[in-house]
Amino acid sequence: MTEQISDAAAAAAFRRLVKHLQHRHDAENIDLMGLAGFCRNCLADWVMEATNDAGGNMTKEEARMAIHGMPSSEWKRKFQTEATPEKLQRLKESVAKNESVD
């Protein structure tokens, strides 16, 4: 199915997703992980891996800066709250579902 999406459309959609996540700071990473099994940090890791696999050289912090729109430490300080036991349990259950994705 993903082969039906052109590279240009995928790039445009990706940029829109990043812009959306940079705007919606109220959607915390742990909530994204608990619901969808990925978060801003995962997206940054995927960008870093794809960049490096294509012959580039991107660090984890550079990738997180690109996705968060600011240093990850700043984003964490400004927007991340303490994880509740319920959120941690939801995260654990959600991440377990990721094993069949790759």
Side-chain angles (χ1 to χ4, degrees), residues 12 20 23 60-61 102:
H20 183 80
H23 174 72
K60 184 174 281 215
E61 187 53 37
D102 296 328

Side-chain angles (χ1 to χ4, degrees), residues 4-98:
Q4 296 173 337
I5 302 170
S6 71
D7 287 348
F14 172 78
R15 287 184 187 95
R16 188 170 178 181
L17 172 62
V18 170
K19 185 177 180 180
H20 183 80
L21 290 172
Q22 288 178 354
H23 174 72
R24 289 295 307 271
H25 300 296
D26 59 311
E28 290 191 52
N29 283 341
I30 194 157
D31 296 322
L32 293 170
M33 285 295 295
L35 179 63
F38 82 100
C39 68
R40 291 169 184 84
N41 295 336
C42 298
L43 197 56
D45 290 347
W46 300 339
V47 167
M48 179 189 69
E49 290 168 9
T51 299
N52 294 342
D53 287 350
N57 185 20
M58 180 178 267
T59 67
K60 184 174 281 215
E61 187 53 37
E62 289 169 336
R64 290 188 177 185
M65 174 87 170
I67 300 301
H68 287 86
M70 64 185 73
S72 60
S73 59
E74 180 181 345
W75 190 93
K76 206 175 194 182
R77 185 174 26 77
K78 286 183 173 182
F79 303 111
Q80 185 170 307
T81 61
E82 190 70 30
T84 65
E86 296 80 19
K87 287 183 179 186
L88 291 171
Q89 181 60 36
R90 195 170 340 151
L91 166 73
K92 182 180 176 182
E93 292 168 2
S94 180
V95 168
K97 294 178 184 178
N98 287 353

